[in-house]
Amino acid sequence: MRRPILCFFLCFLTIGLGLVSVFSQRFFNVDLDRGFVETSEITIRISSRKPIFVISHNRDRLVSFRIVIESLVEFEDRNLNGRYDSGEALNIVDLRRTQWYLNYSIISRNGTTLLLLDLKPEKTTGKQGYEQRSMVPLHIRLLISSSKMNVRGLTLNGTKEVLVNLTFSRWRWHSSKSKLALIIRYGAARGSVGRHCSGKKDSWTYIRMQSEATLMSIAFSADAEFDDRTESINIDLDSDSTKLVLPRYEEYGEAIFIFGLKIFPTGTVFSASETYAMAMSIAIVVGLSLLCSYLSNRELKKITKVIS
């Protein structure tokens, strides 16, 4: 009887540890039909294939945050303050009304797994049946890494943070003196946000929004690349929106920002994989304890029998 019981618990231990390992290594879960991306830390929902991202932490489902890449505005800076103000717009492109193509890829490099999620404006078909270039010169790429990365002096903290790469192509300017601004809005999608704070660190400007258990942070980099030149972006940041004023360019440009969530000790909701892993660990420990107790009792009985 002793050998079968020992074999049973060893098999149970091996299978349990294997399942825990599988759950710990599953960094990403992507469902494009539902516009759903889940990492081991956060969940991102992309509303109707638009640049509207609803983010929640897997340990705090009561609160979610929204980031909307809302519009591109061509404007003339009439008061020369370097910002886009009301009444200065020459052309506004509402990015929420554009049809977007959504795709993703997963690549592995030097032991790190990267998830690349791409949003590109769909091309339209002209009267002659030819595809026409989209009027929206913007490609949005979300990058999530399985491990920490250094991005321009700031640490991208693995699966709890997202790097957003914004690539701008040729814009049809309406004036030789105009500039381009990208409007990004953010706030609570569900639940309430009690506190906001903002600041600067090196070339990064950040805003933080805090609920009872979750901290949402968004950091915008002032460093950018336009027409093979390193340029600076004017970051006009407010509590519910940021206007990125881009340098005048001809061919292309590239800018980045990072967003992520951090849970506080008050967060009490665990993800399914974490719950399963904890349950398996407890079951394994209990099983080993029972096995050791059983074997100890067997040996004790033998010793007692010999003595008697």
Side-chain angles (χ1 to χ4, degrees):
M1 185 67 182
R2 176 180 176 180
R3 186 179 297 274
I5 293 177
L6 178 61
C7 291
F8 170 78
F9 277 106
L10 287 177
C11 290
F12 179 78
L13 176 62
T14 303
I15 294 172
L17 289 176
L19 288 173
V20 171
S21 176
V22 168
F23 274 98
S24 66
Q25 294 299 318
R26 193 188 67 177
F27 299 113
F28 311 119
N29 180 22
V30 183
D31 186 342
L32 291 186
D33 293 331
R34 296 167 55 200
F36 174 91
V37 178
E38 183 182 31
T39 77
S40 58
E41 298 279 349
I42 62 175
T43 297
I44 305 171
R45 290 176 174 83
I46 304 172
S47 178
S48 303
R49 293 179 178 258
K50 308 288 186 184
I52 302 172
F53 311 110
V54 177
I55 311 104
S56 60
H57 200 285
N58 296 341
R59 294 186 184 178
D60 183 12
R61 303 290 189 178
L62 300 178
V63 175
S64 57
F65 299 84
R66 180 185 291 110
I67 297 177
V68 182
I69 303 179
E70 184 180 270
S71 58
L72 277 168
V73 181
E74 182 181 354
F75 71 100
E76 284 190 348
D77 186 13
R78 298 190 179 100
N79 58 7
L80 302 178
N81 66 351
R83 302 177 179 179
Y84 162 56
D85 298 314
S86 178
E88 295 182 336
L90 300 178
N91 184 25
I92 299 177
V93 177
D94 190 340
L95 302 176
R96 298 165 298 179
R97 303 174 74 98
T98 301
Q99 296 297 320
W100 295 82
Y101 174 72
L102 179 63
N103 193 20
Y104 82 98
S105 59
I106 296 177
I107 60 175
S108 296
R109 184 182 303 164
N110 299 326
T112 297
T113 303
L114 301 176
L115 171 65
L116 306 177
L117 188 69
D118 291 289
L119 275 167
K120 297 181 180 180
E122 292 185 351
K123 296 180 180 179
T124 57
T125 303
K127 295 181 179 180
Q128 304 299 323
Y130 296 103
E131 282 192 340
Q132 297 178 339
R133 190 182 71 171
S134 171
M135 295 298 293
V136 179
L138 178 62
H139 171 199
I140 303 170
R141 166 170 284 183
L142 277 61
L143 183 150
I144 309 174
S145 173
S146 63
S147 58
K148 291 185 178 182
M149 295 175 57
N150 186 276
V151 182
R152 298 181 185 176
L154 199 67
T155 300
L156 185 68
N157 289 304
T159 56
K160 67 178 67 173
E161 292 187 334
V162 181
L163 171 67
V164 182
N165 192 89
L166 305 167
T167 302
F168 303 89
S169 53
R170 183 177 295 179
W171 176 263
R172 298 176 181 177
W173 299 99
H174 289 71
S175 168
S176 59
K177 298 180 181 180
S178 59
K179 297 180 180 180
L180 198 62
L182 179 68
I183 314 299
I184 300 173
R185 297 195 181 276
Y186 36 77
R190 181 174 59 183
S192 60
V193 177
R195 187 163 58 116
H196 293 76
C197 67
S198 60
K200 290 186 176 182
K201 181 181 179 181
D202 299 327
S203 62
W204 295 85
T205 300
Y206 63 85
I207 183 166
R208 293 172 180 160
M209 298 165 280
Q210 183 179 331
S211 69
E212 182 178 351
T214 305
L215 176 70
M216 172 75 167
S217 62
I218 311 174
F220 301 92
S221 175
D223 295 336
E225 297 288 333
F226 283 85
D227 292 338
D228 293 324
R229 301 188 310 270
T230 300
E231 301 277 2
S232 293
I233 293 176
N234 189 336
I235 303 171
D236 184 9
L237 186 143
D238 203 348
S239 62
D240 62 353
S241 68
T242 292
K243 302 171 186 175
L244 303 180
V245 179
L246 312 178
R248 178 89 178 197
Y249 71 97
E250 297 298 329
E251 296 294 332
Y252 78 95
E254 185 175 318
I256 63 172
F257 70 92
I258 292 174
F259 68 82
L261 298 179
K262 176 182 178 181
I263 199 75
F264 290 105
T266 52
T268 57
V269 181
F270 294 94
S271 66
S273 60
E274 289 175 322
T275 302
Y276 184 86
M278 288 188 292
M280 288 299 300
S281 299
I282 293 171
I284 290 169
V285 171
V286 171
L288 289 175
S289 298
L290 291 174
L291 176 61
C292 292
S293 176
Y294 172 79
L295 296 178
S296 297
N297 288 334
R298 294 265 300 182
E299 293 298 326
L300 181 60
K301 288 181 179 179
K302 286 183 179 181
I303 294 172
T304 304
K305 187 175 181 181
V306 171
I307 294 175
S308 62

